[in-house]
Amino acid sequence: MKINRLRFHLTTQLLCLAVLVVSYRAAAEDTNQWKIQVAGLRVVVPPANTNENARGAFFASPGVTVVATLTSSSGKIVSINQFESKLNSFADDKGTDLLAMKSEDPFNKPGFGTMDAKESYATVEMQVASLPAKGATSLNIAGKVSMLIASSSKQFTVESVEMKTNASFSLGDLPVMISAMGTNHNSWQAKDYPYSIIFSSLRNLECISSLEFFDPQGSKIAAHKSSWGGGFMGYMMEYDIKQTVVRAKIVATCWQDLKTVEVPISIKTGIGL
């Protein structure tokens, strides 16, 4: 079964409410220091229209969203594990527990929302469905973000790979197989990338930062990663490509010294209400 594309799109609509930004350095491990900084705040009150499908300002659900960036002084961020990340508290300075209120909206559940990794930094949304108490002036948020980081990257080149289903090759000590290839039916860019290749392995393919493909004449074949995922049954990574060839050179950039870290979050930010 093909795994759905995992793409994250950060909401950029932020309400300017005289935000007081407080940043600090928190140790995820003795050797890793992280800078946590508030990047934005959005407060949305319930809409005047009581229709259950109605949304408030910014066409968003009622509640509070705080966006923060996490930057490491060393290492590269490979991915964020949203399932292992946890928001422990989200309260205002009046003592209101904003995590207490539940939401039937699947896109507005209290906790972490969109989480996006960009190698040098990560962006996370922390959201609740309730509103601060009248007269509240600040928010206090605590939790942890679980990330996979790498110390460096290394290139591996496979000079000639037979581009067909069940063909196998290795990237260093990582075994990889082409589990499927053919016409690209799923990508919105199918016009520009009409073909698709799915790579699989029993080992986690998150260690692959990127793959590049070259035809027998040495010309680079346009391609981009379109989906990835997996679990205990195996892992997959799909690339949409411009053209197919019988054989291709594959250049892989792979992360080295992968490890999981838990970055503690402790934020106080003014809300200007």
Side-chain angles (χ1 to χ4, degrees), residues 154-168:
K154 182 179 180 180
Q155 278 197 342
F156 296 92
T157 299
V158 185
E159 291 295 338
S160 182
V161 176
E162 191 172 8
M163 304 300 286
K164 68 176 186 178
T165 302
N166 295 326
S168 299

Side-chain angles (χ1 to χ4, degrees), residues 82-185:
Q82 187 161 3
F83 298 105
E84 294 298 325
S85 300
K86 184 178 181 181
L87 199 57
N88 296 321
S89 63
F90 197 125
D92 63 25
D93 59 337
K94 295 289 187 179
T96 310
D97 180 5
L98 302 181
L99 277 176
M101 180 177 174
K102 306 303 179 184
S103 174
E104 297 302 320
D105 185 345
F107 300 104
N108 195 39
K109 297 294 185 183
F112 284 108
T114 300
M115 310 177 83
D116 191 23
K118 295 293 186 183
E119 292 189 14
S120 61
Y121 69 95
T123 306
V124 298
E125 286 187 358
M126 296 158 284
Q127 63 189 32
V128 290
S130 53
L131 298 174
K134 184 177 181 180
T137 59
S138 64
L139 298 171
N140 295 283
I141 305 169
K144 68 174 184 178
V145 176
S146 179
M147 297 187 188
L148 185 64
I149 66 171
S151 63
S152 60
S153 62
K154 182 179 180 180
Q155 278 197 342
F156 296 92
T157 299
V158 185
E159 291 295 338
S160 182
V161 176
E162 191 172 8
M163 304 300 286
K164 68 176 186 178
T165 302
N166 295 326
S168 299
F169 58 96
S170 295
L171 301 174
D173 62 355
L174 175 66
V176 180
M177 182 179 74
I178 297 176
S179 55
M181 64 180 301
T183 302
N184 181 9
H185 296 291

